[in-house]
Amino acid sequence: MSNGRLEGKVALVSGSGRGIGRAIALKLASEGARVVVNDLDADPAQEVVEAIKSANGEAIACLGSVSEPDFGERFVAAAMSNYGGLDIIVNNAGFTWDSVIQKMTDEQFDAVMDVHLKAPFRILRAAAEPIRTLSKQEALAGKVNVRKVVNISSVAGTNGNPGQANYSSAKAGVTGLTKTLAREWGRYKVTVNCVAFNYIQTRLTMPLGGEQAQIDVEGRLLNVGVQQNVLTTLDATIPLGRGGTPEEAAGSVYLFCIPESDYVSGQVLMCSGGL
């Protein structure tokens, strides 16, 4: 994968074994980035690594839950020890666990906040010292290298969404984290931006069939999927007339990773089909 827009860059992409994260990892790798792939489960993570390698790219896996207290350090260390650098961080990992507020437990609220907001905070905190050190070394050498952070939010975080007090609160928090880090890290030549997705076609948004689909998140079997009538209404509401694909979602993240966006920071990009 030579002569790509991201040749020589090192990227962390959390939650990249499936769905949007997988598409992001493949897109960045297709443009020359060396990617640290993450997932809870070994098989999907390794499948993405092998897909990248089979296309002559470079990738490794860093397994585990982003909510583990030491995950941020492990994730950053994987990039630094294997590739000797860190240029792009995409905080993508997440899941939904919905209920109306009167039925939502503390465990439910905290689990979603931990993955969607505390985990990005911990990953970025772990990256702060390596980025500061690398930036200082580059400045002394007269080299300019603009690093990129892209945090994933949602229209639930910008507009709210019934049944998602936990998810909406976390995604709104991601926006605040993004805007604060854009101010703190500008002096290190780091841009920090956010992409807010609307309806993207993944396993979390598949139409409900005869049986409730479930995913296993750290031993919790959680129901996922959306009622067909809700999806039909969404399609009718979205100006482009449909939900987005994971590849289209990845494209919006990619925009913030390329040199053309080197002077864009602290922004929230809506990837919503015009909604």
Side-chain angles (χ1 to χ4, degrees), residues 102-144:
Q102 65 268 28
K103 295 182 179 179
M104 186 172 290
T105 65
D106 284 1
E107 179 193 11
Q108 205 169 346
F109 189 86
D110 291 344
V112 171
M113 291 290 285
D114 282 350
V115 167
H116 287 278
L117 185 56
K118 185 178 281 186
F121 158 73
R122 283 173 166 164
I123 291 167
L124 294 171
R125 182 177 62 184
E129 185 57 26
I131 285 175
R132 188 192 70 80
T133 301
L134 289 167
S135 175
K136 184 177 180 180
Q137 291 170 350
E138 288 157 358
L140 290 172
K143 179 182 177 183
V144 176

Side-chain angles (χ1 to χ4, degrees), residues 20 197-205 243-246 248-249 271:
I20 295 170
F197 295 130
N198 185 28
Y199 165 37
I200 305 295
Q201 299 161 4
T202 69
R203 62 180 182 149
L204 299 183
T205 58
T245 66
E248 289 169 328
C271 180

Side-chain angles (χ1 to χ4, degrees), residues 22 38 41 63 72 99-100 119 133-134 137 143 148 172 191 202 207 235-237 260 267 269-270:
R22 180 183 190 277
N38 158 254
D41 304 316
L63 302 178
S99 289
V100 291
T133 301
L134 289 167
Q137 291 170 350
K143 179 182 177 183
K148 310 283 188 158
T191 69
T202 69
D235 285 342
T237 307
E260 285 81 353
Q267 302 304 303
L269 173 66
M270 307 297 290

Side-chain angles (χ1 to χ4, degrees), residues 68-207:
E68 294 167 359
D70 68 338
F71 178 80
E73 283 76 13
R74 288 201 297 112
F75 205 24
V76 171
M80 296 299 296
S81 61
N82 284 275
Y83 297 130
L86 178 55
D87 303 286
I88 297 168
I89 301 173
V90 182
N91 282 305
N92 166 78
F95 68 97
T96 53
W97 190 2
D98 299 349
S99 289
V100 291
I101 194 165
Q102 65 268 28
K103 295 182 179 179
M104 186 172 290
T105 65
D106 284 1
E107 179 193 11
Q108 205 169 346
F109 189 86
D110 291 344
V112 171
M113 291 290 285
D114 282 350
V115 167
H116 287 278
L117 185 56
K118 185 178 281 186
F121 158 73
R122 283 173 166 164
I123 291 167
L124 294 171
R125 182 177 62 184
E129 185 57 26
I131 285 175
R132 188 192 70 80
T133 301
L134 289 167
S135 175
K136 184 177 180 180
Q137 291 170 350
E138 288 157 358
L140 290 172
K143 179 182 177 183
V144 176
N145 180 25
V146 179
R147 291 181 168 82
K148 310 283 188 158
V149 173
V150 187
N151 296 318
I152 303 304
S153 185
S154 167
V155 294
T158 59
N159 298 354
N161 198 38
Q164 293 191 321
N166 49 3
Y167 182 73
S168 298
S169 298
K171 289 308 192 183
V174 166
T175 300
L177 179 64
T178 297
K179 291 181 177 291
T180 297
L181 265 292
R183 290 174 175 266
E184 288 189 11
W185 283 7
R187 64 184 182 273
Y188 302 137
K189 295 184 173 60
V190 181
T191 69
V192 187
N193 291 291
C194 185
V195 175
F197 295 130
N198 185 28
Y199 165 37
I200 305 295
Q201 299 161 4
T202 69
R203 62 180 182 149
L204 299 183
T205 58
M206 292 295 290

